[in-house]
Amino acid sequence: MIDAFEKVPVQIFPSPKEGSAFVASEIATLIKSKAAKNETCVLGLATGSTPIKLYQELVRLHKEEGLSFKNVVTFNLDEYFPIEQDAPQSYWSFMHKHLFNHIDIDPKNIHIPSGKWPKEDIKKHCAEYDAAIIKAGGIDLQILGIGGNGHIGFNEPGSSFHSKTRVIHLDQLTRMANVYEWHDLNKVPKLAITVGISSIMKAKKIVLLAWGNKADIVAKAVEGDVTEQLPASVLQNHDDCTFVI
Ligand code: GLP
């Protein structure tokens, strides 16, 4: 049932485990329906603590129920900049640790913005990343988390709804929220590369996951005004977006 105040459909689960299992089964159904038609399934993927259980469930579906990722192409949302690919805090490391090392995806189908793109060429690489998404046929299903300040990917408050993949200055709040990965705030990068809001909005279907201490920001994103000051509020304008909380 959709609440009168909700401007985006919200599905509430008793626990993150159950919410994650629901989303994993949606992904599995999509992958299998695409495979039956000999088509690729293009997934937009997120990092952070929120989707870890989702990735655990996808790994379980692969190992125990034979779900194959051979026809899956992935595009991750973001990466710190600069960062070594195999640094423990890189999103490249995160994705391999939690998902890619445990499934049968073809490594050439994995796309993650690189924290090693040379600064002078970065605009070209960002444009190529957006072009690669289009060339792959666009994102069939985009998974999102939400930052405590309402960011999606690393699109911090103030990001234009027309933004494309680019380098962004991280909010101090974001750096503080992610300090647990770095132990020292001074070591948290000040910059990141993020897929832009316009690229996220082009996804055919979007599922945003949120649990933990996200109730206030989720309520604002779902029930409040659509504003660039709260990037996730733009999802009210998408015709196939669900919040799973
Ligand atoms: C991170 C990521 C986002 C993520 C958000 C929330 O910094 N760039 O994609 O959704 O912040 O993270 P968490 O799930 O750990 O709360």
Side-chain angles (χ1 to χ4, degrees), residues 75-79 112-114 117 121-134 139 142 154-155 160-168 192-200 202:
F75 288 89
N76 262 80
L77 281 170
D78 46 16
E79 179 60 283
I112 304 177
S114 170
W117 283 337
D121 288 341
I122 206 136
K123 279 197 174 161
K124 178 175 80 88
H125 286 289
C126 289
E128 284 170 0
Y129 200 77
D130 283 326
I133 296 175
I134 292 167
I139 307 281
Q142 175 69 57
F154 268 136
N155 291 284
S160 164
F161 287 167
H162 301 289
S163 55
K164 298 191 171 148
T165 300
R166 67 202 187 290
V167 175
I168 188 150
I193 299 161
T194 185
V195 168
I197 294 189
S198 75
S199 327
I200 292 173
K202 284 193 193 113

mmCIF file of all heavy atoms in Angstrom, residues 75-79 112-114 117 121-134 139 142 154-155 160-168 192-200 202:
data_model
loop_
_atom_site.group_PDB
_atom_site.id
_atom_site.type_symbol
_atom_site.label_atom_id
_atom_site.label_comp_id
_atom_site.label_asym_id
_atom_site.label_seq_id
_atom_site.Cartn_x
_atom_site.Cartn_y
_atom_site.Cartn_z
ATOM 1 N N PHE A 75 28.091 -1.729 -13.965
ATOM 2 C CA PHE A 75 28.701 -0.398 -13.883
ATOM 3 C C PHE A 75 28.566 0.079 -12.439
ATOM 4 O O PHE A 75 27.443 0.237 -11.938
ATOM 5 C CB PHE A 75 27.987 0.590 -14.822
ATOM 6 C CG PHE A 75 28.282 0.339 -16.276
ATOM 7 C CD1 PHE A 75 27.497 -0.537 -17.013
ATOM 8 C CD2 PHE A 75 29.356 0.962 -16.889
ATOM 9 C CE1 PHE A 75 27.771 -0.795 -18.350
ATOM 10 C CE2 PHE A 75 29.648 0.714 -18.229
ATOM 11 C CZ PHE A 75 28.852 -0.166 -18.963
ATOM 12 N N ASN A 76 29.686 0.285 -11.789
ATOM 13 C CA ASN A 76 29.614 0.831 -10.425
ATOM 14 C C ASN A 76 29.430 2.338 -10.465
ATOM 15 O O ASN A 76 29.816 3.010 -11.414
ATOM 16 C CB ASN A 76 30.856 0.448 -9.625
ATOM 17 C CG ASN A 76 30.583 -0.752 -8.768
ATOM 18 O OD1 ASN A 76 30.605 -1.865 -9.265
ATOM 19 N ND2 ASN A 76 30.281 -0.539 -7.501
ATOM 20 N N LEU A 77 28.858 2.825 -9.378
ATOM 21 C CA LEU A 77 28.517 4.249 -9.306
ATOM 22 C C LEU A 77 29.705 5.163 -9.092
ATOM 23 O O LEU A 77 29.710 6.289 -9.576
ATOM 24 C CB LEU A 77 27.591 4.483 -8.103
ATOM 25 C CG LEU A 77 26.127 4.137 -8.232
ATOM 26 C CD1 LEU A 77 25.480 4.213 -6.858
ATOM 27 C CD2 LEU A 77 25.447 5.103 -9.191
ATOM 28 N N ASP A 78 30.677 4.707 -8.287
ATOM 29 C CA ASP A 78 31.650 5.708 -7.840
ATOM 30 C C ASP A 78 32.955 5.079 -7.368
ATOM 31 O O ASP A 78 33.059 3.855 -7.223
ATOM 32 C CB ASP A 78 31.049 6.612 -6.747
ATOM 33 C CG ASP A 78 30.308 5.834 -5.659
ATOM 34 O OD1 ASP A 78 30.497 4.604 -5.567
ATOM 35 O OD2 ASP A 78 29.560 6.456 -4.900
ATOM 36 N N GLU A 79 33.937 5.939 -7.144
ATOM 37 C CA GLU A 79 35.243 5.516 -6.629
ATOM 38 C C GLU A 79 35.929 6.748 -6.026
ATOM 39 O O GLU A 79 35.713 7.874 -6.494
ATOM 40 C CB GLU A 79 36.103 4.943 -7.772
ATOM 41 C CG GLU A 79 37.504 4.481 -7.385
ATOM 42 C CD GLU A 79 37.545 3.366 -6.322
ATOM 43 O OE1 GLU A 79 37.333 3.715 -5.132
ATOM 44 O OE2 GLU A 79 37.800 2.197 -6.673
ATOM 45 N N ILE A 112 34.186 -0.071 -13.301
ATOM 46 C CA ILE A 112 34.241 0.733 -12.069
ATOM 47 C C ILE A 112 35.076 1.967 -12.418
ATOM 48 O O ILE A 112 36.164 1.817 -13.003
ATOM 49 C CB ILE A 112 34.914 -0.042 -10.914
ATOM 50 C CG1 ILE A 112 34.197 -1.389 -10.673
ATOM 51 C CG2 ILE A 112 34.936 0.795 -9.625
ATOM 52 C CD1 ILE A 112 34.843 -2.269 -9.596
ATOM 53 N N PRO A 113 34.597 3.176 -12.104
ATOM 54 C CA PRO A 113 35.449 4.337 -12.380
ATOM 55 C C PRO A 113 36.817 4.118 -11.720
ATOM 56 O O PRO A 113 36.891 3.564 -10.624
ATOM 57 C CB PRO A 113 34.701 5.503 -11.719
ATOM 58 C CG PRO A 113 33.286 5.041 -11.592
ATOM 59 C CD PRO A 113 33.360 3.547 -11.410
ATOM 60 N N SER A 114 37.875 4.538 -12.400
ATOM 61 C CA SER A 114 39.208 4.266 -11.858
ATOM 62 C C SER A 114 39.760 5.447 -11.063
ATOM 63 O O SER A 114 39.789 6.571 -11.563
ATOM 64 C CB SER A 114 40.178 3.938 -13.003
ATOM 65 O OG SER A 114 41.490 3.915 -12.500
ATOM 66 N N TRP A 117 42.739 7.208 -12.962
ATOM 67 C CA TRP A 117 42.686 7.958 -14.222
ATOM 68 C C TRP A 117 43.557 9.202 -14.063
ATOM 69 O O TRP A 117 43.441 9.920 -13.045
ATOM 70 C CB TRP A 117 41.251 8.389 -14.538
ATOM 71 C CG TRP A 117 40.378 7.296 -15.081
ATOM 72 C CD1 TRP A 117 40.786 6.167 -15.710
ATOM 73 C CD2 TRP A 117 38.939 7.236 -15.043
ATOM 74 N NE1 TRP A 117 39.689 5.400 -16.071
ATOM 75 C CE2 TRP A 117 38.550 6.027 -15.680
ATOM 76 C CE3 TRP A 117 37.943 8.081 -14.551
ATOM 77 C CZ2 TRP A 117 37.214 5.658 -15.826
ATOM 78 C CZ3 TRP A 117 36.619 7.710 -14.692
ATOM 79 C CH2 TRP A 117 36.250 6.503 -15.324
ATOM 80 N N ASP A 121 43.333 13.826 -17.965
ATOM 81 C CA ASP A 121 42.430 13.172 -18.935
ATOM 82 C C ASP A 121 41.087 12.820 -18.317
ATOM 83 O O ASP A 121 40.293 12.080 -18.905
ATOM 84 C CB ASP A 121 43.023 11.819 -19.393
ATOM 85 C CG ASP A 121 44.208 12.003 -20.289
ATOM 86 O OD1 ASP A 121 44.349 13.099 -20.843
ATOM 87 O OD2 ASP A 121 44.985 11.044 -20.421
ATOM 88 N N ILE A 122 40.840 13.304 -17.112
ATOM 89 C CA ILE A 122 39.717 12.736 -16.368
ATOM 90 C C ILE A 122 38.367 13.004 -17.029
ATOM 91 O O ILE A 122 37.494 12.143 -17.030
ATOM 92 C CB ILE A 122 39.753 13.207 -14.905
ATOM 93 C CG1 ILE A 122 39.056 12.181 -14.036
ATOM 94 C CG2 ILE A 122 39.144 14.555 -14.685
ATOM 95 C CD1 ILE A 122 39.790 11.895 -12.796
ATOM 96 N N LYS A 123 38.233 14.172 -17.638
ATOM 97 C CA LYS A 123 36.948 14.487 -18.297
ATOM 98 C C LYS A 123 36.673 13.497 -19.413
ATOM 99 O O LYS A 123 35.552 13.041 -19.592
ATOM 100 C CB LYS A 123 36.987 15.908 -18.868
ATOM 101 C CG LYS A 123 36.718 16.947 -17.821
ATOM 102 C CD LYS A 123 36.349 18.274 -18.450
ATOM 103 C CE LYS A 123 35.954 19.232 -17.350
ATOM 104 N NZ LYS A 123 36.004 20.612 -17.740
ATOM 105 N N LYS A 124 37.735 13.174 -20.153
ATOM 106 C CA LYS A 124 37.591 12.224 -21.264
ATOM 107 C C LYS A 124 37.157 10.849 -20.717
ATOM 108 O O LYS A 124 36.224 10.238 -21.225
ATOM 109 C CB LYS A 124 38.939 12.111 -21.991
ATOM 110 C CG LYS A 124 38.952 11.120 -23.136
ATOM 111 C CD LYS A 124 40.279 11.145 -23.880
ATOM 112 C CE LYS A 124 41.366 10.370 -23.173
ATOM 113 N NZ LYS A 124 41.509 8.981 -23.448
ATOM 114 N N HIS A 125 37.815 10.408 -19.633
ATOM 115 C CA HIS A 125 37.466 9.101 -19.074
ATOM 116 C C HIS A 125 36.028 9.087 -18.542
ATOM 117 O O HIS A 125 35.322 8.096 -18.695
ATOM 118 C CB HIS A 125 38.444 8.724 -17.959
ATOM 119 C CG HIS A 125 39.788 8.323 -18.486
ATOM 120 N ND1 HIS A 125 39.995 7.149 -19.161
ATOM 121 C CD2 HIS A 125 40.981 8.957 -18.444
ATOM 122 C CE1 HIS A 125 41.269 7.065 -19.517
ATOM 123 N NE2 HIS A 125 41.887 8.152 -19.089
ATOM 124 N N CYS A 126 35.612 10.183 -17.909
ATOM 125 C CA CYS A 126 34.237 10.255 -17.385
ATOM 126 C C CYS A 126 33.237 10.189 -18.532
ATOM 127 O O CYS A 126 32.232 9.472 -18.455
ATOM 128 C CB CYS A 126 34.036 11.535 -16.573
ATOM 129 S SG CYS A 126 34.924 11.509 -15.001
ATOM 130 N N ALA A 127 33.528 10.915 -19.610
ATOM 131 C CA ALA A 127 32.620 10.904 -20.779
ATOM 132 C C ALA A 127 32.583 9.502 -21.384
ATOM 133 O O ALA A 127 31.515 9.022 -21.792
ATOM 134 C CB ALA A 127 33.076 11.935 -21.808
ATOM 135 N N GLU A 128 33.740 8.846 -21.406
ATOM 136 C CA GLU A 128 33.782 7.478 -21.960
ATOM 137 C C GLU A 128 32.968 6.515 -21.086
ATOM 138 O O GLU A 128 32.373 5.566 -21.585
ATOM 139 C CB GLU A 128 35.232 6.982 -22.065
ATOM 140 C CG GLU A 128 35.963 7.598 -23.246
ATOM 141 C CD GLU A 128 37.465 7.324 -23.236
ATOM 142 O OE1 GLU A 128 37.970 6.650 -22.302
ATOM 143 O OE2 GLU A 128 38.136 7.819 -24.156
ATOM 144 N N TYR A 129 32.977 6.762 -19.763
ATOM 145 C CA TYR A 129 32.211 5.896 -18.848
ATOM 146 C C TYR A 129 30.712 6.010 -19.160
ATOM 147 O O TYR A 129 30.015 5.004 -19.290
ATOM 148 C CB TYR A 129 32.513 6.283 -17.399
ATOM 149 C CG TYR A 129 32.175 5.204 -16.391
ATOM 150 C CD1 TYR A 129 33.000 4.102 -16.222
ATOM 151 C CD2 TYR A 129 31.033 5.290 -15.590
ATOM 152 C CE1 TYR A 129 32.700 3.104 -15.294
ATOM 153 C CE2 TYR A 129 30.728 4.310 -14.651
ATOM 154 C CZ TYR A 129 31.569 3.217 -14.505
ATOM 155 O OH TYR A 129 31.272 2.235 -13.579
ATOM 156 N N ASP A 130 30.238 7.258 -19.312
ATOM 157 C CA ASP A 130 28.820 7.457 -19.671
ATOM 158 C C ASP A 130 28.516 6.819 -21.021
ATOM 159 O O ASP A 130 27.464 6.196 -21.201
ATOM 160 C CB ASP A 130 28.481 8.957 -19.719
ATOM 161 C CG ASP A 130 28.300 9.552 -18.330
ATOM 162 O OD1 ASP A 130 27.796 8.844 -17.437
ATOM 163 O OD2 ASP A 130 28.664 10.721 -18.132
ATOM 164 N N ALA A 131 29.458 6.971 -21.967
ATOM 165 C CA ALA A 131 29.248 6.408 -23.309
ATOM 166 C C ALA A 131 29.204 4.880 -23.246
ATOM 167 O O ALA A 131 28.416 4.249 -23.957
ATOM 168 C CB ALA A 131 30.355 6.878 -24.251
ATOM 169 N N ALA A 132 30.025 4.297 -22.377
ATOM 170 C CA ALA A 132 30.047 2.825 -22.256
ATOM 171 C C ALA A 132 28.710 2.307 -21.712
ATOM 172 O O ALA A 132 28.229 1.241 -22.123
ATOM 173 C CB ALA A 132 31.201 2.390 -21.356
ATOM 174 N N ILE A 133 28.104 3.064 -20.805
ATOM 175 C CA ILE A 133 26.784 2.663 -20.268
ATOM 176 C C ILE A 133 25.763 2.661 -21.409
ATOM 177 O O ILE A 133 24.996 1.703 -21.576
ATOM 178 C CB ILE A 133 26.323 3.610 -19.126
ATOM 179 C CG1 ILE A 133 27.271 3.500 -17.927
ATOM 180 C CG2 ILE A 133 24.883 3.300 -18.715
ATOM 181 C CD1 ILE A 133 26.977 4.471 -16.787
ATOM 182 N N ILE A 134 25.805 3.713 -22.212
ATOM 183 C CA ILE A 134 24.847 3.802 -23.329
ATOM 184 C C ILE A 134 25.102 2.667 -24.319
ATOM 185 O O ILE A 134 24.183 1.985 -24.767
ATOM 186 C CB ILE A 134 24.944 5.189 -24.013
ATOM 187 C CG1 ILE A 134 24.426 6.260 -23.037
ATOM 188 C CG2 ILE A 134 24.149 5.229 -25.321
ATOM 189 C CD1 ILE A 134 24.746 7.684 -23.429
ATOM 190 N N ILE A 139 21.362 1.096 -18.252
ATOM 191 C CA ILE A 139 21.246 0.282 -17.035
ATOM 192 C C ILE A 139 19.829 -0.298 -16.945
ATOM 193 O O ILE A 139 18.852 0.453 -16.972
ATOM 194 C CB ILE A 139 21.513 1.151 -15.765
ATOM 195 C CG1 ILE A 139 22.849 1.903 -15.850
ATOM 196 C CG2 ILE A 139 21.359 0.332 -14.497
ATOM 197 C CD1 ILE A 139 24.071 1.113 -15.545
ATOM 198 N N GLN A 142 19.297 -0.286 -11.492
ATOM 199 C CA GLN A 142 20.298 0.452 -10.724
ATOM 200 C C GLN A 142 20.037 0.254 -9.232
ATOM 201 O O GLN A 142 18.941 0.543 -8.738
ATOM 202 C CB GLN A 142 20.211 1.954 -11.051
ATOM 203 C CG GLN A 142 21.114 2.843 -10.217
ATOM 204 C CD GLN A 142 22.585 2.638 -10.537
ATOM 205 O OE1 GLN A 142 22.994 2.784 -11.682
ATOM 206 N NE2 GLN A 142 23.388 2.289 -9.533
ATOM 207 N N PHE A 154 28.104 9.409 -5.326
ATOM 208 C CA PHE A 154 28.749 10.475 -4.543
ATOM 209 C C PHE A 154 28.238 11.841 -4.999
ATOM 210 O O PHE A 154 28.948 12.833 -4.933
ATOM 211 C CB PHE A 154 30.271 10.401 -4.653
ATOM 212 C CG PHE A 154 30.950 9.589 -3.575
ATOM 213 C CD1 PHE A 154 31.970 8.706 -3.896
ATOM 214 C CD2 PHE A 154 30.601 9.714 -2.241
ATOM 215 C CE1 PHE A 154 32.624 7.957 -2.909
ATOM 216 C CE2 PHE A 154 31.241 8.974 -1.245
ATOM 217 C CZ PHE A 154 32.252 8.095 -1.588
ATOM 218 N N ASN A 155 26.998 11.862 -5.491
ATOM 219 C CA ASN A 155 26.397 13.148 -5.874
ATOM 220 C C ASN A 155 25.957 13.859 -4.607
ATOM 221 O O ASN A 155 24.882 13.585 -4.055
ATOM 222 C CB ASN A 155 25.205 12.920 -6.810
ATOM 223 C CG ASN A 155 25.635 12.395 -8.158
ATOM 224 O OD1 ASN A 155 26.144 13.146 -8.996
ATOM 225 N ND2 ASN A 155 25.482 11.091 -8.359
ATOM 226 N N SER A 160 23.865 19.062 -9.675
ATOM 227 C CA SER A 160 22.809 19.343 -10.647
ATOM 228 C C SER A 160 22.104 18.045 -11.040
ATOM 229 O O SER A 160 22.747 17.004 -11.199
ATOM 230 C CB SER A 160 23.418 19.981 -11.889
ATOM 231 O OG SER A 160 22.495 19.911 -12.949
ATOM 232 N N PHE A 161 20.797 18.150 -11.218
ATOM 233 C CA PHE A 161 20.048 16.992 -11.713
ATOM 234 C C PHE A 161 20.469 16.648 -13.145
ATOM 235 O O PHE A 161 20.136 15.590 -13.653
ATOM 236 C CB PHE A 161 18.538 17.246 -11.640
ATOM 237 C CG PHE A 161 17.973 17.215 -10.230
ATOM 238 C CD1 PHE A 161 16.693 17.687 -9.963
ATOM 239 C CD2 PHE A 161 18.703 16.690 -9.166
ATOM 240 C CE1 PHE A 161 16.151 17.647 -8.677
ATOM 241 C CE2 PHE A 161 18.175 16.644 -7.874
ATOM 242 C CZ PHE A 161 16.896 17.130 -7.633
ATOM 243 N N HIS A 162 21.200 17.567 -13.806
ATOM 244 C CA HIS A 162 21.671 17.296 -15.173
ATOM 245 C C HIS A 162 23.083 16.730 -15.172
ATOM 246 O O HIS A 162 23.666 16.524 -16.233
ATOM 247 C CB HIS A 162 21.637 18.579 -16.006
ATOM 248 C CG HIS A 162 20.276 19.189 -16.090
ATOM 249 N ND1 HIS A 162 19.263 18.626 -16.825
ATOM 250 C CD2 HIS A 162 19.747 20.287 -15.488
ATOM 251 C CE1 HIS A 162 18.167 19.360 -16.673
ATOM 252 N NE2 HIS A 162 18.426 20.360 -15.870
ATOM 253 N N SER A 163 23.656 16.505 -13.977
ATOM 254 C CA SER A 163 25.074 16.122 -13.917
ATOM 255 C C SER A 163 25.337 14.767 -14.543
ATOM 256 O O SER A 163 24.497 13.876 -14.515
ATOM 257 C CB SER A 163 25.558 16.146 -12.458
ATOM 258 O OG SER A 163 24.734 15.324 -11.663
ATOM 259 N N LYS A 164 26.549 14.671 -15.107
ATOM 260 C CA LYS A 164 27.018 13.412 -15.697
ATOM 261 C C LYS A 164 28.178 12.908 -14.849
ATOM 262 O O LYS A 164 28.527 13.513 -13.824
ATOM 263 C CB LYS A 164 27.458 13.671 -17.129
ATOM 264 C CG LYS A 164 26.295 14.151 -17.976
ATOM 265 C CD LYS A 164 26.644 14.154 -19.431
ATOM 266 C CE LYS A 164 25.376 14.420 -20.219
ATOM 267 N NZ LYS A 164 25.630 15.140 -21.427
ATOM 268 N N THR A 165 28.811 11.836 -15.299
ATOM 269 C CA THR A 165 29.949 11.284 -14.559
ATOM 270 C C THR A 165 31.055 12.334 -14.480
ATOM 271 O O THR A 165 31.410 12.955 -15.484
ATOM 272 C CB THR A 165 30.445 9.992 -15.251
ATOM 273 O OG1 THR A 165 29.364 9.070 -15.253
ATOM 274 C CG2 THR A 165 31.631 9.404 -14.510
ATOM 275 N N ARG A 166 31.579 12.533 -13.267
ATOM 276 C CA ARG A 166 32.531 13.629 -13.068
ATOM 277 C C ARG A 166 33.280 13.472 -11.748
ATOM 278 O O ARG A 166 32.915 12.634 -10.916
ATOM 279 C CB ARG A 166 31.803 14.980 -13.064
ATOM 280 C CG ARG A 166 30.895 15.116 -11.841
ATOM 281 C CD ARG A 166 29.812 16.130 -12.082
ATOM 282 N NE ARG A 166 29.038 16.386 -10.858
ATOM 283 C CZ ARG A 166 28.200 15.522 -10.306
ATOM 284 N NH1 ARG A 166 28.038 14.303 -10.791
ATOM 285 N NH2 ARG A 166 27.537 15.838 -9.220
ATOM 286 N N VAL A 167 34.256 14.362 -11.541
ATOM 287 C CA VAL A 167 34.955 14.416 -10.253
ATOM 288 C C VAL A 167 34.161 15.330 -9.331
ATOM 289 O O VAL A 167 33.640 16.356 -9.765
ATOM 290 C CB VAL A 167 36.373 14.991 -10.440
ATOM 291 C CG1 VAL A 167 37.064 15.156 -9.094
ATOM 292 C CG2 VAL A 167 37.182 14.085 -11.330
ATOM 293 N N ILE A 168 34.064 14.942 -8.071
ATOM 294 C CA ILE A 168 33.296 15.756 -7.116
ATOM 295 C C ILE A 168 34.075 15.916 -5.814
ATOM 296 O O ILE A 168 34.832 15.019 -5.428
ATOM 297 C CB ILE A 168 31.902 15.112 -6.872
ATOM 298 C CG1 ILE A 168 31.020 16.046 -6.044
ATOM 299 C CG2 ILE A 168 32.019 13.744 -6.212
ATOM 300 C CD1 ILE A 168 29.555 15.910 -6.329
ATOM 301 N N ALA A 192 36.223 12.395 -5.322
ATOM 302 C CA ALA A 192 35.750 11.091 -5.812
ATOM 303 C C ALA A 192 35.266 11.272 -7.236
ATOM 304 O O ALA A 192 35.050 12.405 -7.692
ATOM 305 C CB ALA A 192 34.615 10.576 -4.931
ATOM 306 N N ILE A 193 35.125 10.149 -7.922
ATOM 307 C CA ILE A 193 34.470 10.161 -9.241
ATOM 308 C C ILE A 193 33.100 9.555 -9.021
ATOM 309 O O ILE A 193 32.979 8.528 -8.348
ATOM 310 C CB ILE A 193 35.245 9.307 -10.247
ATOM 311 C CG1 ILE A 193 36.654 9.861 -10.426
ATOM 312 C CG2 ILE A 193 34.521 9.255 -11.597
ATOM 313 C CD1 ILE A 193 37.614 8.870 -11.020
ATOM 314 N N THR A 194 32.079 10.191 -9.556
ATOM 315 C CA THR A 194 30.731 9.614 -9.416
ATOM 316 C C THR A 194 29.975 9.680 -10.725
ATOM 317 O O THR A 194 30.111 10.655 -11.482
ATOM 318 C CB THR A 194 29.919 10.321 -8.310
ATOM 319 O OG1 THR A 194 28.670 9.633 -8.145
ATOM 320 C CG2 THR A 194 29.623 11.784 -8.612
ATOM 321 N N VAL A 195 29.201 8.657 -10.982
ATOM 322 C CA VAL A 195 28.225 8.716 -12.069
ATOM 323 C C VAL A 195 27.261 9.843 -11.714
ATOM 324 O O VAL A 195 26.900 10.032 -10.549
ATOM 325 C CB VAL A 195 27.491 7.353 -12.187
ATOM 326 C CG1 VAL A 195 26.277 7.451 -13.090
ATOM 327 C CG2 VAL A 195 28.452 6.276 -12.700
ATOM 328 N N GLY A 196 26.847 10.617 -12.698
ATOM 329 C CA GLY A 196 26.001 11.784 -12.421
ATOM 330 C C GLY A 196 24.547 11.426 -12.202
ATOM 331 O O GLY A 196 24.114 10.292 -12.438
ATOM 332 N N ILE A 197 23.804 12.420 -11.745
ATOM 333 C CA ILE A 197 22.382 12.194 -11.459
ATOM 334 C C ILE A 197 21.614 11.913 -12.747
ATOM 335 O O ILE A 197 20.746 11.042 -12.784
ATOM 336 C CB ILE A 197 21.797 13.383 -10.684
ATOM 337 C CG1 ILE A 197 22.477 13.421 -9.311
ATOM 338 C CG2 ILE A 197 20.278 13.272 -10.561
ATOM 339 C CD1 ILE A 197 21.911 14.374 -8.328
ATOM 340 N N SER A 198 21.956 12.625 -13.830
ATOM 341 C CA SER A 198 21.198 12.379 -15.074
ATOM 342 C C SER A 198 21.449 10.963 -15.563
ATOM 343 O O SER A 198 20.542 10.310 -16.082
ATOM 344 C CB SER A 198 21.530 13.412 -16.147
ATOM 345 O OG SER A 198 22.786 13.162 -16.708
ATOM 346 N N SER A 199 22.686 10.455 -15.362
ATOM 347 C CA SER A 199 22.974 9.086 -15.809
ATOM 348 C C SER A 199 22.189 8.092 -14.950
ATOM 349 O O SER A 199 21.648 7.106 -15.459
ATOM 350 C CB SER A 199 24.475 8.786 -15.718
ATOM 351 O OG SER A 199 25.240 9.939 -15.967
ATOM 352 N N ILE A 200 22.123 8.332 -13.628
ATOM 353 C CA ILE A 200 21.361 7.440 -12.735
ATOM 354 C C ILE A 200 19.884 7.426 -13.151
ATOM 355 O O ILE A 200 19.254 6.372 -13.224
ATOM 356 C CB ILE A 200 21.504 7.897 -11.265
ATOM 357 C CG1 ILE A 200 22.948 7.678 -10.779
ATOM 358 C CG2 ILE A 200 20.502 7.170 -10.359
ATOM 359 C CD1 ILE A 200 23.246 8.252 -9.394
ATOM 360 N N LYS A 202 18.592 7.755 -15.939
ATOM 361 C CA LYS A 202 18.309 7.062 -17.212
ATOM 362 C C LYS A 202 18.109 5.561 -17.009
ATOM 363 O O LYS A 202 17.686 4.864 -17.929
ATOM 364 C CB LYS A 202 19.460 7.285 -18.188
ATOM 365 C CG LYS A 202 19.451 8.681 -18.792
ATOM 366 C CD LYS A 202 20.392 8.778 -19.993
ATOM 367 C CE LYS A 202 20.618 10.225 -20.371
ATOM 368 N NZ LYS A 202 21.997 10.659 -20.146
#
